[in-house]
Amino acid sequence: MGQKEPYKISRSKIEDFIRCPRCFWLEARLKIKKPSMPPFLINSAVDALLKAEFDTYRAKKEQHPWQIEFKVDAKPFAHKDLERWRHTFTGVQHLHEPTNLLIFGGVDDVWVTPDDELVVVDYKATAKNKEITDLEESKWHDSYRRQMEVYQWLLRGEGHKVSDTGYFVYANGIASGKGFFNKVEFRTNIFPYKGDDKWIEPALTKIKQVLESDMPKEDPECEHCAYARARTQLTIEALKTARNSK
C-alpha cells in the first residue's frame, strides 16, 4: 500500500478476509464488491428497540430485569463515547501500529461489572423452532464469535479493562401463534461467550501482506469465487460457440 496515513479496516472487512482473501482483495484493491444481500430490516428494528430498552436502565443506573433473570452480574455502561462506539462508521477504534491499519467496529452495547470490567454485548435476532441458549458449531456462529472478540480487542485498544466474557442477547421470534395480528412475539435469552482475541493481530499481519501483494488464489470454499469461475467458464464457452457458428 505504501501510504503513511493509517488504512481503515472495519470489523466486517476482517470477517470478509477470513472468509475469502481473494474477495477481500478485489474489493479493497479494485473496488469490485461481492453481490449485496437485502438488508435484515427486522433484525435492525429489534436491534434499535433493544438499545432503547437497555438505555432506559442505563439512565437509571439499574440492572435490566433480564440481567437479573439470567444472573448477569453487570449493568448497562454509561460512557461519553458510547454513541461513537455504537455508530457503524466510527465505532470503537484502535490503530494497529505494526501494520498501520486502523481497525473500527460499531458495538451493540457495553455493560460493566462491579469490578469495573467492561462487557461486550451483541444483539441477535432470528426465528427458530428450538430454544437458543448457546452458539452452535457452525461457520455462521463462528463469525459471531470473531465479531465479539474483535470488539473486545478494540475496547482494550482504547485503554479499557475488558472482560473475556461477553454476552449475546438473542431474540427468537415465535411462529407458533394463532395469527399475526400485527405483532410478533419473541423469546429472548442471554448467554455468555468467553472470547479469545489472540488470532486478531496475526490476521492483521496477513491482511497487510495480502493488500500489498498480487491477487490471492481462489478460496475453494468461497461461493462467490465458485460462481465467478462457473460464470466465466460459461461465458468463454458461449463466445467460442458463437465464433465457430459464424
Side-chain angles (χ1 to χ4, degrees), residues 8 10 83-93 104-106:
K8 292 187 73 174
S10 68
E83 287 308 307
R84 171 175 68 82
W85 292 348
R86 283 174 160 178
H87 197 281
T88 302
F89 299 112
T90 54
V92 191
Q93 299 187 10
F104 68 98

Side-chain angles (χ1 to χ4, degrees), residues 139-204:
K139 289 183 179 179
W140 195 256
H141 281 189
D142 283 346
S143 71
Y144 291 173
R145 294 179 176 94
R146 288 190 291 267
Q147 183 178 15
M148 175 78 71
E149 290 160 350
V150 170
Y151 294 145
Q152 291 173 338
W153 181 83
L154 284 170
L155 281 168
R156 290 184 181 116
E158 286 204 7
H160 298 281
K161 181 182 177 184
V162 181
S163 173
D164 288 339
T165 300
Y167 286 88
F168 287 96
V169 178
Y170 226 118
N172 191 17
I174 300 171
S176 58
K178 294 182 179 180
F180 175 50
F181 304 114
N182 229 22
K183 180 175 68 175
V184 177
E185 293 187 351
F186 288 83
R187 165 58 180 162
T188 301
N189 282 319
I190 297 179
F191 53 85
Y193 170 68
K194 187 172 183 179
D196 182 354
D197 64 14
K198 292 184 179 65
W199 63 271
I200 295 174
E201 296 205 26
L204 296 180

Side-chain angles (χ1 to χ4, degrees), residues 100-158:
N100 203 31
L101 297 177
L102 179 61
I103 312 304
F104 68 98
V107 67
D108 283 338
D109 206 350
V110 180
W111 299 344
V112 62
T113 71
D115 295 329
D116 291 326
E117 277 193 321
L118 301 192
V119 177
V120 173
V121 180
D122 202 52
Y123 303 146
K124 298 296 181 189
T126 189
K128 294 184 177 181
N129 292 328
K130 66 178 183 179
E131 191 86 353
I132 300 174
T133 58
D134 202 354
L135 296 181
E136 300 171 354
E137 292 301 323
S138 68
K139 289 183 179 179
W140 195 256
H141 281 189
D142 283 346
S143 71
Y144 291 173
R145 294 179 176 94
R146 288 190 291 267
Q147 183 178 15
M148 175 78 71
E149 290 160 350
V150 170
Y151 294 145
Q152 291 173 338
W153 181 83
L154 284 170
L155 281 168
R156 290 184 181 116
E158 286 204 7

